[in-house]
Amino acid sequence: MKINILKNVLNESIQHVSKAISSRTTIPILGGIKLDVTHQGVTLTASDTDISIQSFIPIEDGDRTIVQVEQTGSVVLPAKFFVEIIKKLPSQEVQMEVKDQFQTFISSGATEIQMVGLDPEEFPVLPAIEGNQTISLPGVLLKNMIRQTVFAISTHETTPILTGVLWNLENNQLKFTATDRHRLATRSAKLDGTDDVKFSNVVIAGKTLNELSKIVPDQNALVDIVVADNQVLFKLDRVLFYSRILDGVYPDTSRIIPTTYKTELILDTKKFSESIDRAYLLSREERTNIVRLQTMENGGIEISSSSSELGKVREELDVIDFKGEPLRISFNSKYMLDVLKIVESEQLMIAFTGMMSPIILKPMDDSQSSYVILPYRTTN
């Protein structure tokens, strides 16, 4: 294998695929990036068995030559060094040559590097995925749906299924659900052209979706998603992103969300968020994060928290609308702030069915999102 390649294009591909490299792998070959050179271009692949990412660099892009291939071939190079060295090379062109025993020589400007390569035959083969369950959605929508749900996943490996986001598609409606048993986030989107596509209990690890989100461009370019029995494939321009589907059955969360409420508040999202943030400062010192909210006779609300060492904070907040019964409720302010950070609507509805019933949050100009936080039982 012998090529001449533009450094910035090679570096971009390396950055994409390196997101699949695990620092904890016990299999040496998985600590590397595989390069396959043909007369069509260069394919880079990395995998940690849970996710695999492949990036293709074509010979030409429009009238620009990216790769000059003198000899085809393959090699696996240790990612830790390869990722760092390529971006630090001095020249805009990189020459790479693989010789006997996969010894790899890299030169750029006056810099010459020799790396010990590995046998590409030992690298795992990527899963073959049939394309019968395929959907397409804009990249910006996919990123938003991930951002608006992934914060609510569980971080405890004792319940692996809850470390992922549940995907369901039925009647052209794609729905993401995430919960850690203390809070719940859902986000739906209407898709076109999916009349014949239906799937349920597709659970993708939250950390995988976070890595995917970094690769998806911030434009409306379509991302093709192929769902198979135990794998999902995301196709983004010249990048293929494979993810394993988590084993197990995701719990039924539909019964958690009430449809009728005893109390409804409509608040200014920014003012409410700032008020909760101030109360959180004290509640955080107690290591409980507990903040109290109660309705007042004048139609407003009172938000308060306390710390045995620092003191108390209390403030009153006007509401845009108030319906129903008076209420006093306690909740985890960090969970509330996590929701408020991703709500883009200027106004927010907060609904309750009672002191120890779930707290429902719905952005007023976004009927596709809803959030649930379980309250705390407190003695005062």
Side-chain angles (χ1 to χ4, degrees):
M1 167 188 148
K2 189 175 181 182
I3 60 169
N4 190 319
I5 187 168
L6 295 181
K7 182 186 91 170
N8 63 332
V9 180
L10 176 60
N11 183 54
E12 184 181 11
S13 274
I14 290 171
Q15 297 306 316
H16 286 333
V17 302
S18 65
K19 291 176 173 55
I21 300 286
S22 169
S23 58
R24 299 190 302 271
T25 183
T26 55
I27 307 167
I29 199 80
L30 293 183
I33 294 174
K34 183 185 179 191
L35 285 82
D36 291 298
V37 175
T38 68
H39 289 296
Q40 282 70 49
V42 180
T43 302
L44 285 76
T45 310
S47 177
D48 70 354
T49 68
D50 283 336
I51 65 172
S52 303
I53 305 175
Q54 193 169 75
S55 177
F56 178 67
I57 303 170
I59 297 287
E60 294 176 342
D61 183 12
D63 57 359
R64 180 176 68 148
T65 299
I66 300 173
V67 189
Q68 294 170 312
V69 177
E70 289 189 41
Q71 189 178 347
T72 61
S74 302
V75 70
V76 176
L77 297 176
K80 196 170 182 182
F81 184 59
F82 188 49
V83 168
E84 290 301 318
I85 198 65
I86 293 299
K87 59 184 174 187
K88 293 178 179 177
L89 290 175
S91 172
Q92 285 308 304
E93 289 197 355
V94 179
Q95 292 79 42
M96 298 181 66
E97 184 175 6
V98 179
K99 297 188 177 180
D100 293 343
Q101 303 301 311
F102 304 105
Q103 291 292 317
T104 303
F105 297 84
I106 300 172
S107 60
S108 177
T111 302
E112 293 186 354
I113 297 146
Q114 183 178 345
M115 293 180 71
V116 178
L118 299 170
D119 185 351
E121 291 296 319
E122 296 178 14
F123 201 84
V125 177
L126 291 183
I129 293 185
E130 297 297 326
N132 57 334
Q133 296 274 63
T134 303
I135 60 173
S136 298
L137 65 157
V140 68
L141 173 61
L142 176 60
K143 284 172 78 100
N144 278 335
M145 291 184 73
I146 292 170
R147 182 176 60 87
Q148 291 165 351
T149 52
V150 76
F151 69 89
I153 64 165
S154 173
T155 55
H156 298 294
E157 294 295 337
T158 48
T159 49
I161 197 76
L162 294 185
T163 63
V165 176
L166 171 68
W167 294 39
N168 283 328
L169 176 64
E170 190 170 9
N171 299 325
N172 294 314
Q173 194 81 2
L174 178 65
K175 183 178 182 181
F176 286 14
T177 304
T179 184
D180 62 2
R181 299 194 194 279
H182 301 288
R183 54 183 170 171
L184 173 80
T186 66
R187 173 69 159 90
S188 300
K190 187 83 171 171
L191 302 185
D192 295 324
T194 58
D195 295 350
D196 300 328
V197 185
K198 178 182 176 182
F199 53 76
S200 60
N201 202 59
V202 172
V203 185
I204 303 173
K207 62 181 182 181
T208 297
L209 292 174
N210 279 326
E211 294 301 339
L212 171 68
S213 196
K214 293 172 189 173
I215 295 176
V216 176
D218 290 317
Q219 291 110 20
N220 272 323
L222 289 177
V223 178
D224 292 330
I225 304 169
V226 186
V227 179
D229 290 340
N230 60 355
Q231 292 274 342
V232 178
L233 168 60
F234 300 87
K235 298 180 179 180
L236 311 92
D237 193 19
R238 295 185 180 124
V239 176
L240 300 179
F241 188 112
Y242 296 79
S243 169
R244 184 175 67 85
I245 294 173
L246 295 183
D247 296 326
V249 178
Y250 203 85
D252 181 8
T253 59
S254 60
R255 290 169 294 181
I256 295 173
I257 307 173
T259 52
T260 57
Y261 316 116
K262 291 182 180 176
T263 307
E264 289 181 41
L265 303 170
I266 296 176
L267 301 164
D268 180 294
T269 306
K270 186 171 184 287
K271 289 178 181 176
F272 182 58
S273 178
E274 289 170 350
S275 179
I276 296 294
D277 202 12
R278 286 187 285 269
Y280 167 65
L281 291 176
L282 255 69
S283 66
R284 181 181 63 187
E285 295 300 315
E286 278 300 274
R287 302 188 185 282
T288 61
N289 294 334
I290 291 177
V291 165
R292 295 172 182 83
L293 180 154
Q294 69 177 25
T295 54
M296 301 171 66
E297 289 184 5
N298 65 5
I301 58 170
E302 178 188 287
I303 292 165
S304 62
S305 69
S306 60
S307 161
S308 54
E309 293 182 8
L310 296 177
K312 298 180 179 178
V313 62
R314 173 192 170 278
E315 63 180 274
E316 294 181 14
L317 200 63
D318 292 332
V319 302
I320 296 164
D321 193 24
F322 170 38
K323 293 180 196 166
E325 303 173 3
L327 185 84
R328 178 184 173 91
I329 201 162
S330 301
F331 52 85
N332 185 315
S333 53
K334 180 170 185 313
Y335 290 172
M336 183 68 78
L337 285 171
D338 284 345
V339 172
L340 294 170
K341 281 176 192 167
I342 53 95
V343 169
E344 295 172 353
S345 171
E346 291 183 3
Q347 295 181 2
L348 179 72
M349 185 189 86
I350 305 182
F352 314 87
T353 56
M355 277 186 65
M356 291 313 298
S357 297
I359 303 165
I360 314 300
L361 299 102
K362 292 189 175 184
M364 288 300 289
D365 62 1
D366 178 9
S367 61
Q368 301 278 35
S369 303
S370 64
Y371 307 95
V372 178
I373 300 172
L374 295 184
Y376 279 151
R377 190 182 296 278
T378 55
T379 53
N380 59 339

